[in-house]
Amino acid sequence: MSENDSNFIFDFISEDISEGGRFEGMTVHTRFPPEPNGYLHIGHAKALYIDFHTAEKFGGLCNLRMDDTNPTKEDEEYVDAIKEDIKWLGYDWGDRFYYASDYFPEMYRFAEELITKGLAYVCELTADQMKEMRGDLSNPARSPFRDRPAKESLDLFRRMKEGEFEDGRMTVRARIDLASGNFNMRDPAIYRINHMSHHQTGDAWCIYPMYDFAHPIEDAMEGITHSLCSLEFESHRPLYDWIIENCSVPCKPRQIEFARLGINHTVLSKRKLRNLVENGFVSGWDDPRMPTLCGLRRRGYTPASIRVFHERNGVSKVNSIVDYAFLEHCLREDLNSNAHRVMAVISPVKLIIDNYPEGVSDEFEVENNPEKPEDLTRKVSFSKELWIENDDFMEEPSRKYFRLFPGNEVRLKSAYVIKCTGFTKDADGKVTEVHATYDPDSRGGNTTDGRKIKATIHWVDARTAVDAQIRLYGSLFDTPEPDLADCNYLEHISPDSLNVISGAKLEASLASAQPAESFQFLRLGYFCADSIESAAGRLVFNRSVSLKDSFRV
RNA sequence: UGGGGUGUAGCCAAGUGGUAAGGCACGGGACUUUGACUCCCGCACUCGUAGGUUCAAAUCCUGCCACCCCAGCCA
C-alpha cells in the first residue's frame, strides 16, 4: 500500500474496535452499495477503494450490495455492468453479493414496529401539500395526520401494501421532530406507494422504502460495522442513527462520511453522463471519452493506475478537485514499468537506406521493456525502406535539434546508425523521402569506433508495417469545471474531442494485439488497442493525450 | 435567517502544543539505444482571518470571513 496509508476513517475505526469502543472485538465489515441506475465511473472507484481497502486494512470484509429501493430508475442491465467493472478494477466481494430488495420483508416489519411504537404514521398529505407544510428555517413543519392512532396507521399501511391505494396517495412517515433545524428529521417519509414492477422482486411489492429508512436496515441486516458514504449524507446521519436506535435491528452500524472525488475537465455526474449517452453525444457508456470505468478501460487505463490514483489522493472531508494530470501520471507510471513498448509511426515519412541491399530482410531483437528483462524481447523486421516520424527529420535543423537532417547521424532504435544523405520533395515542397546510408558495423545500434550518437529515433519496416488509424481523444469538455457550472454543460463539449488520424504505421507485432491491451509507445505516449476493424489488418488505436498537448484550442 | 460540514502552495495532502512530510504541476541540471524514462536541485519564514493563552500555536480559546451540503413520496 501507499507510503502514507492512514486517514481519519481509520482513526475512527481503530477507536471503535479498541478496548471500550462500540465495536470492541468485532470484525470490521463494510459495503459498497451502488444504485443500479447507471455505469460506475472513476468517482465510484474512490468509494470502492475506500470501502474495500478499509475492510482489508482491518482484516474485515466488504460486501457488494445493489441499493435497489426505487424501481423507477433502476435496471438489471446496470447490475451486470457494475459487477464487471468492479471485477476489472480488482476488488473481490467473494460470495457476499446482495440486493437491498432482499430485505423488503424485514423492512416492512420494521416499519410496522415503528408504527406500533407510535414512532411512525401514515400520512395522507399529497407531495405538494407536504412540500407546502414542510415549514422553513423559522417555522416548523406540520401534518394533520401525525397523531393518528397506531392501530389506524397499521391498518392503512397493510392496505397500502395490498395495493388498495394509488401512487402518491399516502406515505408512511417517521414521527421525529417537525421543528428540527435538520430538515431530514422533520418527519421524513420512509415508505411510498409505487405500482411498478421491480427488476428483482417483480410485482411482489407496490410500496417501496425510502433510502433513509432502508439503508441503515440493509447495513444492519448484513452486520456492517462501518457504513462509509459521501459527505452529502452527513446531515442524514442523525436519521440513520434514529432508525438504528428505534428498530430492533441485529447490529448498530456507524456511518462515516468522506468527500467525493472531483477531477477538473471531467463530468462526474451520473445524470449528465446518461444524458451524453442517451442524446448520442458519445457512442455509449464505454466511449473512451467517458470517465466511466469501462470508458477508461477502452482508453487504455489499467486497473492498477486507477487504484493507485485514489490511494495517493487520500481520503478527507475536503471537497477537492484533483488535476486530471495526476490521473495521467498514475497511468504513465504503471505503463512505463509494466506495459510492453512498441514502435509506431503516427505521421510517417519514408526513409530509404541507399546502401542497404534491395530485397533483403533482417530482424532485430528489441526488448519489450527495458525495466523488466523478464519480459524478454520481440523480433522486429528491418529492410531498405522504413517509415520514420515526420518530425524526426528537418531540412533545416533548428537550434538544439539533433535528430535527422542532411549530414547528421542518428541511431535507429535497436538497429543501425545512419547518416542522412539527402531528401526529395514533391511539387508542394513537402518532404516525401529521406535518404540515408547505414553503418554496417553498427548492428544493434552501437558504434565500433566509440563515436557518440546523440539521437535515437523509432522506425517501422515498410515491408511489414501495419496500417492503422489512430484516434486521438481529448477532453470531452472545454470548460475547466463543467461539472460545477450550473449551465448547459452540453454546450461545452469540445467538437474536437475525437480526432482520427489515418495512415499511421505500426510495428508488425501489433497485428495480433488484443483489444484493450495497453502499450507504451516510444516517445509518443501511451496507447491502447481498442478494436480491430473488420477490414483486414486495420487496427484502431486510441491514443490518450494529455490536455495540454491536445489539439483543442 | 435554522441545522450540518470544510478551510495547510496552482492542485491533492500529512500534521493531534516543540518550530510546515510526500505527490502532481512547474523551473533548472545530470544521465540516456528516443528530447521518453530515471536521477538530482529548487518551489509555504507560514497554515482562511483578527485577537487571546503559552517559554513555544497550523495544532488550544474567542470573534469574524469564505465555500460546500440539507426543506424529493431520489440515492
Side-chain angles (χ1 to χ4, degrees):
Chain A
M1 277 308 125
S2 65
E3 316 67 33
N4 201 359
D5 188 27
S6 70
N7 62 49
F8 74 100
I9 295 179
F10 293 173
D11 295 343
F12 283 151
I13 297 180
S14 298
E15 210 179 298
D16 287 345
I17 60 178
S18 61
E19 211 180 313
R22 70 191 273 179
F23 299 118
E24 181 181 349
M26 286 177 65
T27 299
V28 170
H29 212 134
T30 62
R31 99 273 93 116
F32 177 68
E35 182 184 18
N37 68 343
Y39 281 61
L40 260 28
H41 56 63
I42 181 128
H44 295 106
K46 174 174 182 175
L48 241 1
Y49 161 69
I50 293 173
D51 290 333
F52 278 92
H53 178 61
T54 300
E56 184 193 17
K57 172 94 179 173
F58 290 94
L61 297 167
C62 180
N63 296 356
L64 172 59
R65 178 169 76 224
M66 295 297 147
D67 208 358
D68 57 349
T69 57
N70 184 1
T72 317
K73 302 160 61 186
E74 298 150 6
D75 196 283
E76 183 82 45
E77 170 202 354
Y78 299 119
V79 173
D80 300 329
I82 287 169
K83 290 167 99 170
E84 191 187 325
D85 289 341
I86 296 175
K87 273 188 211 152
W88 174 74
L89 246 199
Y91 294 112
D92 182 12
W93 59 87
D95 57 357
R96 301 174 310 283
F97 173 71
Y98 306 104
Y99 289 96
S101 52
D102 294 343
Y103 315 117
F104 281 171
E106 288 83 356
M107 290 173 190
Y108 181 80
R109 265 183 264 124
F110 286 126
E112 280 185 325
E113 179 186 350
L114 288 179
I115 294 173
T116 305
K117 289 175 171 171
L119 293 175
Y121 58 95
V122 170
C123 178
E124 290 174 61
L125 251 26
T126 64
D128 286 342
Q129 288 171 324
M130 203 183 283
K131 195 173 175 179
E132 268 170 46
M133 301 178 85
R134 182 126 250 153
D136 54 38
L137 299 179
S138 41
N139 298 298
R142 285 167 295 141
S143 170
F145 303 99
R146 177 161 226 263
D147 295 316
R148 194 196 295 274
K151 231 178 123 183
E152 197 179 309
S153 283
L154 226 35
D155 176 58
L156 285 170
F157 185 39
R158 276 186 195 119
R159 288 159 63 193
M160 280 169 67
K161 175 176 177 267
E162 296 311 319
E164 193 174 315
F165 310 111
E166 70 275 23
D167 291 0
R169 176 68 208 292
M170 49 186 71
T171 57
V172 177
R173 289 228 251 169
R175 195 169 188 275
I176 308 179
D177 179 5
L178 289 177
S180 174
N182 181 349
F183 283 84
N184 299 302
M185 300 296 270
R186 316 253 266 216
D187 286 14
I190 61 171
Y191 258 100
R192 79 283 218 178
I193 303 173
N194 187 357
H195 290 267
M196 183 177 226
S197 193
H198 185 284
H199 55 100
Q200 295 305 318
T201 59
D203 297 317
W205 297 85
C206 64
I207 54 171
Y208 292 95
M210 299 289 292
Y211 169 87
D212 283 318
F213 173 69
H215 208 84
I217 294 174
E218 295 159 25
D219 286 339
M221 297 303 296
E222 290 174 19
I224 301 300
T225 55
H226 297 274
S227 184
L228 313 178
C229 64
S230 44
L231 240 35
E232 66 267 31
F233 293 106
E234 223 161 9
S235 59
H236 293 243
R237 193 185 336 127
L239 180 48
Y240 184 99
D241 292 339
W242 188 91
I243 298 291
I244 289 298
E245 228 26 75
N246 292 292
C247 297
S248 47
V249 289
C251 92
K252 297 183 186 303
R254 173 180 185 182
Q255 173 178 302
I256 301 174
E257 311 84 10
F258 57 83
R260 49 206 259 173
L261 175 79
I263 303 179
N264 59 3
H265 301 283
T266 307
V267 166
L268 292 179
S269 144
K270 243 193 224 177
R271 196 197 95 237
K272 291 177 178 178
L273 294 177
R274 180 182 296 106
N275 217 330
L276 294 173
V277 174
E278 289 175 353
N279 291 310
F281 287 102
V282 293
S283 61
W285 287 96
D286 67 345
D287 186 293
R289 288 166 293 178
M290 294 282 276
T292 48
L293 294 179
C294 49
L296 290 170
R297 179 193 312 152
R298 280 189 63 192
R299 191 165 175 148
Y301 277 82
T302 58
S305 68
I306 295 173
R307 275 186 264 118
V308 166
F309 171 70
H310 289 115
E311 213 172 281
R312 303 235 265 249
N313 268 325
V315 181
S316 73
K317 298 187 71 157
V318 184
N319 279 307
S320 54
I321 296 171
V322 178
D323 281 342
Y324 194 92
F326 187 59
L327 214 209
E328 296 189 312
H329 163 81
C330 293
L331 176 60
R332 279 195 219 96
E333 184 184 70
D334 184 30
L335 255 27
N336 188 48
S337 47
N338 297 308
H340 279 192
R341 297 178 184 193
V342 287
M343 295 193 281
V345 178
I346 301 298
S347 180
V349 63
K350 187 64 82 62
L351 172 72
I352 298 172
I353 303 173
D354 293 312
N355 63 340
Y356 196 84
E358 196 97 36
V360 171
S361 251
D362 197 355
E363 262 185 346
F364 291 95
E365 292 278 337
V366 182
E367 75 280 354
N368 285 323
N369 187 328
E371 290 186 21
K372 292 172 75 182
E374 67 272 25
D375 276 3
L376 309 176
T377 59
R378 65 187 184 285
K379 289 192 185 344
V380 178
S381 69
F382 182 91
S383 66
K384 185 184 180 78
E385 294 196 6
L386 307 169
W387 294 107
I388 61 169
E389 209 65 63
N390 183 54
D391 63 10
D392 280 344
F393 172 79
M394 275 186 109
E395 184 181 343
E396 306 267 0
S398 54
R399 265 180 310 123
K400 291 204 166 178
Y401 184 85
F402 46 87
R403 281 170 276 163
L404 220 46
F405 54 86
N408 194 39
E409 270 194 320
V410 111
R411 172 168 38 236
L412 294 175
K413 166 80 182 166
S414 299
Y416 287 111
V417 171
I418 59 164
K419 183 173 200 167
C420 181
T421 54
F423 58 94
T424 60
K425 288 196 209 178
D426 63 16
D428 301 329
K430 196 177 153 232
V431 175
T432 51
E433 286 178 353
V434 177
H435 288 266
T437 55
Y438 82 112
D439 171 2
D441 294 332
S442 65
R443 198 167 197 288
N446 298 307
T447 56
T448 46
D449 57 7
R451 68 186 191 281
K452 290 267 190 242
I453 304 300
K454 199 128 191 235
T456 303
I457 64 173
H458 57 277
W459 51 273
V460 160
D461 177 19
R463 287 160 47 126
T464 58
V466 179
D467 283 334
Q469 272 189 357
I470 306 288
R471 292 184 195 163
L472 295 171
Y473 290 103
S475 168
L476 216 42
F477 298 91
D478 267 328
T479 55
E481 266 79 55
D483 196 35
L484 299 181
D486 197 17
C487 55
N488 183 2
Y489 66 100
L490 292 177
E491 287 172 6
H492 295 287
I493 293 180
S494 166
D496 294 327
S497 60
L498 176 62
N499 201 1
V500 177
I501 295 180
S502 297
K505 307 288 183 183
L506 307 183
E507 193 181 296
S509 68
L510 283 163
S512 57
Q514 296 300 302
E517 191 173 347
S518 292
F519 300 97
Q520 178 145 42
F521 281 54
L522 293 165
R523 201 168 72 220
L524 294 173
Y526 51 86
F527 290 70
C528 158
D530 166 27
S531 58
I532 298 174
E533 288 185 349
S534 49
R538 284 186 80 80
L539 292 172
V540 175
F541 279 76
N542 298 329
R543 178 192 180 194
S544 294
V545 292
S546 93
L547 293 173
K548 67 175 183 188
D549 298 335
S550 78
F551 34 81
R552 297 177 310 117
V553 278

